[in-house]
């Protein structure tokens, strides 16, 4: 059955701005006046005095109603004779900026709200900057609560001038500016009479009149979401087509591997298709048996995707804990997750002035441009070219919390110019010549816990047995390789990374490497473990109560730290995160250094590191 009614396109838009600018009330009133609220639901919106509270249409969480703020992103669907809409009401509170960024990531337009009494605030600018970064194509500035300033044209003009100047500097599309009131409904769906000086369109007229998002002629791209193998006779690769068209017989390249084949079938629920296009979810089969995994991206063979492991990206930091350069996070792009480090912060953006500021870290809600180094190549396109293939999130490896969201700008040139050199002699051959197996023994604990004493004894006894061992001590490291580093959290992370890289190379040479470092953070110790082969890393927790470690302190470091003469001292002014499941736990207030050293050597023997 066909219909002569023309198909209405769908516009996705968000409302954003500072807290208490009236976003939920505006959207509720817009839905009500557009006839998108059933009568029985309208009755539920009345407060104790019988007045309509339109914010209740979108503030659905109990916590939101109790606090009077929006916390989560609330999506609502409505339509008019001219267009269908999906609206995301996003939170204005600074604490929930990450939720706003989530809503903006799929929006075609943004309605930025500014309270007429307060003017353009820092959070208004931050949200607008995120709108610009995420490539939202249309912006409307709604100056709200105009009824509370007696519909003052002077107040409206001042806000419009302030925001338009900011929008130009931030690279936003030229916004349409409208004076509105969510309480009275003026200039939302119907034109208000209170502002005789305003002759422009209503908010709904602007939203209905925005040009549809034109589909540009883009080559075929599809991120593989899964491998479909219901039986031995069928292997297909499922996903939603990001862009372009794919036809049976088309040549396709797999990224990042570069393997090529031809499309044999395009399978959907109910049968096969001769072709499929952007937005369709399909299963593709190929004429050849090729290696394709979840997270790979399929592309037209004559327009293959770029793959790299180093990028420049814009990053929005979303965690209470500061971002630390060098710390390993999980980076999720599409369906692929890989380890990643932020190697350099190019600058941080002052959202009020658009000034580029030097920075060594990013705090909650900061926006910066960074360099990232990944553990393996990923297929991508710059975010400005293709949102879904250029956007990523960063995940804390211990808490599994999302800590950042980013947009890839471009691959770094060195990612293309540096390639690993194949070496014929491997680590097993080098270790076999020494009659042992390589290992990295990582001793962690408070200053004064006994790490260096134990490591020295272990190296001495291994050497007496004719073993090939080497000790990397934290204090010695800071006299040479890490002499340029201080003791901030970022510097500690970099110090551990350098020690780990050296230890990895020494283990590759077949040595038993002893590393004595406070290494206070679990994330960095996990980073080191992940750098080593599965069976070559031994985490030794040299455990002494703080009082015992402090009593042993012949250098007087704890006393200086407590007098404030040493900043960021572990155990006093900087935390120590003890291992939760160490490979070996040495309680040095209950055993002698000799007993502790013997326990380490016994563990190496049990692991057959000293065989031969």
């Amino acid at each position: 059955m066909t219909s002569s009614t023309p198909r209405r396109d769908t516009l996705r838009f968000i409302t954003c701005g500072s807290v208490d600018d009236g976003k939920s009330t505006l959207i509720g009133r817009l839905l009500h006046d557009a006839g998108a609220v059933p009568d029985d639901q309208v009755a539920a919106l009345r407060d104790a005095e019988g007045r309509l509270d339109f914010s209740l249409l979108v503030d659905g969480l109990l916590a939101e109603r109790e606090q009077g703020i929006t916390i989560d992103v609330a999506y609502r669907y409505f339509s008019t004779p001219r267009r269908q809409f999906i609206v995301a009401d996003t939170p204005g509170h600074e604490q929930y900026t990450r939720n706003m960024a989530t809503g903006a990531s799929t929006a075609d337009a943004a309605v930025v709200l500014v309270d007429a009494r307060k003017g353009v605030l820092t959070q208004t600018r931050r949200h607008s900057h995120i709108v610009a970064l995420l490539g939202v194509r249309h912006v409307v500035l709604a100056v709200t609560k105009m009824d509370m300033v007696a519909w003052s044209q002077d107040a409206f003009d001042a806000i419009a001038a302030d925001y338009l100047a900011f929008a130009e500097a931030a690279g936003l599309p030229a916004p349409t500016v409208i004076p509105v009131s969510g309480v009275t409904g003026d200039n939302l769906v119907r034109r208000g009479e209170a502002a005789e000086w305003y002759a422009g369109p209503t908010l709904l007229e602007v939203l209905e009149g925005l040009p549809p998002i034109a589909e540009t002629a883009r080559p075929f791209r599809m991120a593989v979401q899964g491998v479909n193998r219901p039986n031995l006779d069928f292997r297909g690769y499922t996903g939603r087509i990001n862009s372009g068209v794919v036809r049976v017989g088309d040549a396709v390249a797999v990224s990042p591997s570069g393997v090529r084949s031809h499309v044999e079938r395009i399978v959907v629920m109910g049968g096969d298709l001769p072709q499929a296009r952007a937005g369709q979810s399909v299963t593709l089969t190929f004429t050849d048996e090729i290696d394709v995994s979840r997270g790979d991206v399929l592309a037209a063979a004559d327009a293959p995707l770029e793959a790299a492991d180093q990028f420049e990206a814009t990053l929005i930091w979303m965690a209470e804990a500061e971002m630390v350069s060098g710390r390993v996070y999980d980076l999720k792009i599409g369906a692929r997750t890989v380890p990643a480090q932020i190697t350099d912060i190019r600058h941080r953006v002052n959202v009020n002035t658009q000034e580029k500021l030097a920075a060594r870290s990013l705090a909650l809600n900061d926006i910066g441009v960074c360099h990232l180094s990944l553990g393996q190549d990923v297929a991508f396109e710059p975010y400005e070219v293709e949102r879904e293939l250029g956007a990523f999130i960063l995940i804390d490896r211990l808490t599994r919390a999302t800590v950042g969201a980013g947009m890839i700008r471009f691959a770094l040139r060195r990612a293309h110019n540096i390639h690993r050199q194949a070496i014929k002699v491997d680590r097993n051959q080098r270790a076999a010549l020494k009659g042992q197996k390589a290992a990295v023994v990582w001793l962690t604990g408070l200053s004064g816990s006994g790490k260096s004493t134990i490591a020295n004894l272990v190296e001495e006894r291994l050497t007496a047995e004719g073993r090939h061992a080497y000790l990397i001590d934290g204090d010695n490291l800071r006299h040479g390789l890490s002499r340029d580093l201080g003791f901030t959290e970022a510097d500690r992370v970099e110090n551990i990374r350098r020690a780990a890289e050296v230890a990895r190379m020494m283990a590759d040479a077949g040595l038993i490497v002893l590393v004595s470092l406070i290494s206070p953070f679990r994330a960095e110790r996990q980073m080191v473990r992940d750098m080593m082969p599965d069976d070559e890393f031994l985490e030794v927790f040299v455990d002494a109560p703080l009082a015992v470690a402090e009593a042993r302190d012949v250098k007087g470091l704890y006393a200086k730290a407590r007098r404030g003469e040493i900043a960021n001292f572990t155990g006093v002014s900087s935390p120590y995160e003890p291992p939760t499941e160490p490979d070996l736990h040495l309680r040095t207030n209950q055993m002698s250094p000799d007993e502790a050293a013997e326990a380490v050597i016994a563990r190496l023997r049990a692991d057959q590191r000293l065989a031969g």
Side-chain angles (χ1 to χ4, degrees):
M1 180 177 178
T2 60
S3 172
S4 59
T5 303
R7 180 179 177 271
R8 294 171 294 175
D9 67 286
T10 299
L11 181 81
R12 300 179 67 104
F13 72 95
I14 65 165
T15 59
C16 57
S18 190
V19 68
D20 201 30
D21 276 347
K23 293 179 293 299
S24 298
T25 298
L26 180 142
I27 291 303
R29 183 75 193 224
L30 179 67
L31 293 173
H32 174 270
D33 290 3
V37 183
D39 291 341
D40 58 342
Q41 195 170 358
V42 172
L45 302 180
R46 296 192 181 277
D47 61 19
E49 299 179 7
R51 294 171 301 190
L52 287 173
D53 183 353
F54 295 104
S55 69
L56 298 180
L57 275 172
V58 283
D59 278 349
L61 296 177
L62 177 60
E64 294 177 326
R65 299 191 182 194
E66 289 175 344
Q67 297 180 44
I69 61 172
T70 299
I71 294 174
D72 204 356
V73 180
Y75 292 94
R76 290 295 181 268
Y77 306 83
F78 71 102
S79 62
T80 68
R82 296 184 60 185
R83 182 169 246 170
Q84 298 179 100
F85 298 95
I86 302 173
V87 54
D89 178 35
T90 66
H93 198 284
E94 194 170 334
Q95 181 181 353
Y96 304 110
T97 297
R98 57 187 177 274
N99 296 19
M100 176 270 161
T102 299
S105 64
T106 58
D108 305 314
V111 178
V112 181
L113 279 71
V114 173
D115 187 329
R117 302 166 302 168
K118 301 175 182 177
V120 179
L121 303 176
T122 295
Q123 188 70 341
T124 316
R125 292 186 171 95
R126 179 179 287 111
H127 277 197
S128 299
H129 194 85
I130 292 172
V131 163
L133 289 176
L134 293 175
V136 178
R137 298 168 177 85
H138 307 293
V139 176
V140 181
L141 178 67
V143 182
T144 64
K145 304 186 182 181
M146 286 294 298
D147 55 307
M148 302 186 76
V149 294
W151 292 90
S152 166
Q153 183 176 1
D154 289 342
F156 173 80
D157 288 344
I159 291 171
D162 186 9
Y163 188 82
L164 289 171
F166 166 80
E168 183 178 3
L172 278 167
T176 302
V177 189
I178 308 173
V180 301
S181 169
V183 173
T184 67
D186 286 316
N187 295 333
L188 295 181
V189 174
R190 59 174 177 79
R191 190 173 306 283
E193 299 177 357
E196 296 178 354
W197 45 266
Y198 177 71
T202 65
L203 177 59
L204 185 60
E205 286 172 342
V206 172
L207 295 174
E208 287 183 325
L210 290 176
I213 306 304
E215 288 190 15
T216 57
R218 300 270 300 119
F220 167 66
R221 306 279 190 256
M222 188 184 93
V224 177
Q225 295 290 329
V227 179
N228 184 3
R229 196 173 187 189
N231 55 61
L232 295 176
D233 299 322
F234 184 91
R235 183 193 293 269
Y237 306 97
T238 62
R240 187 177 64 84
I241 299 175
N242 298 86
S243 64
V245 177
V246 63
R247 300 173 179 84
V248 172
D250 281 355
V252 170
V254 182
S255 293
S257 69
V259 174
R260 299 190 173 206
S261 186
H262 290 80
V263 177
E264 181 179 45
R265 296 175 60 190
I266 303 173
V267 184
V268 296
M269 184 72 71
D272 287 15
L273 298 176
Q275 69 175 39
R277 62 180 59 253
Q280 288 184 272
S281 295
V282 298
T283 297
L284 302 183
T285 68
F286 298 117
T287 55
D288 307 287
E289 288 194 13
I290 58 175
D291 185 12
V292 181
S293 303
R294 173 178 164 83
D296 289 343
V297 182
L298 308 177
D302 58 357
L305 266 178
E306 188 176 3
D309 64 355
Q310 296 181 63
F311 305 102
E312 180 165 293
T314 301
L315 185 64
I316 305 168
W317 193 249
M318 299 177 169
E320 295 284 348
E322 286 193 351
M323 183 276 290
V324 180
S325 293
R327 177 162 289 172
V328 177
Y329 301 96
D330 279 340
L331 181 147
K332 188 174 189 300
I333 179 169
R336 171 152 293 175
T337 301
V338 299
Q341 290 176 295
I342 298 164
T343 56
D344 184 27
I345 303 174
R346 307 300 293 169
H347 62 260
R348 177 176 65 83
V349 178
N350 182 323
V351 295
N352 286 306
T353 65
Q354 302 304 300
E355 184 182 3
K356 298 176 180 177
L357 305 174
R360 299 192 66 182
S361 185
L362 296 179
L364 176 66
N365 296 328
D366 276 350
I367 299 170
V369 173
C370 308
H371 287 175
L372 290 97
S373 178
L374 279 55
Q376 56 186 268
D377 284 355
V378 296
F380 76 98
E381 286 199 283
Y383 183 85
E384 64 180 13
V385 175
E386 171 58 55
R387 279 184 174 185
E388 293 185 39
L389 297 178
F392 63 86
I393 59 173
L394 290 179
I395 303 168
D396 185 280
R397 307 188 90 190
L398 295 178
T399 66
R400 307 312 301 165
T402 298
V403 295
M407 292 73 72
I408 294 174
R409 294 157 62 95
F410 51 80
L412 299 178
R413 186 181 299 276
R414 61 176 177 262
H416 302 291
N417 296 339
I418 300 175
H419 306 279
R420 288 194 180 274
Q421 177 65 41
I423 299 174
K424 293 185 178 179
V425 178
D426 66 21
R427 62 197 304 117
N428 293 327
Q429 291 173 288
R430 299 187 191 103
L433 288 173
K434 299 173 177 64
Q436 60 190 34
K437 291 184 179 180
V440 173
V441 181
W442 195 277
L443 295 94
T444 174
L446 292 169
S447 178
S449 61
K451 300 182 301 299
S452 295
T453 300
I454 295 167
N456 268 300
L457 287 170
V458 172
E459 184 186 28
E460 184 179 9
R461 294 180 188 187
L462 290 175
T463 302
E465 288 185 16
R467 307 296 179 182
H468 298 260
Y470 189 86
L471 169 59
I472 300 174
D473 184 81
D475 285 347
N476 294 342
L477 197 68
R478 286 189 175 272
H479 283 289
L481 186 63
S482 296
R483 67 187 303 171
D484 59 318
L485 299 178
F487 290 89
T488 65
E489 187 170 346
D491 283 346
R492 287 176 181 271
V493 171
E494 175 59 15
N495 182 52
I496 292 166
R497 188 195 68 81
R498 293 181 189 182
E501 290 287 359
V502 173
R504 179 168 63 173
M505 288 189 288
M506 288 186 167
D508 195 54
L511 299 178
I512 296 171
V513 189
L514 307 165
V515 184
S516 173
L517 278 177
I518 293 175
S519 43
F521 304 118
R522 296 189 188 104
E524 277 61 65
R525 297 195 298 268
Q526 184 62 46
M527 172 190 73
V528 180
R529 184 184 292 274
D530 292 341
M531 290 170 62
M532 310 298 170
D534 291 340
D535 60 345
E536 286 190 9
F537 184 78
L538 185 68
E539 183 182 49
V540 179
F541 179 23
V542 184
D543 184 7
L546 178 60
V548 173
E550 195 164 352
R552 293 173 179 169
D553 181 21
V554 296
K555 301 175 185 177
L557 298 178
Y558 280 98
K560 290 182 179 180
R562 294 198 181 280
R563 292 195 300 266
E565 297 173 14
I566 302 177
N568 302 312
F569 192 82
T570 302
V572 177
S573 53
S574 184
Y576 178 79
E577 299 173 355
T580 54
E581 296 181 6
D583 299 299
L584 186 60
H585 192 162
L586 305 177
R587 294 177 173 83
T588 57
N589 62 324
Q590 301 175 12
M591 61 198 314
S592 69
D594 286 316
E595 291 171 330
E598 281 302 321
V600 174
I601 292 174
R603 178 58 187 263
L604 290 171
R605 292 191 195 284
D607 291 345
Q608 299 184 337
R609 296 286 148 199
L610 307 181

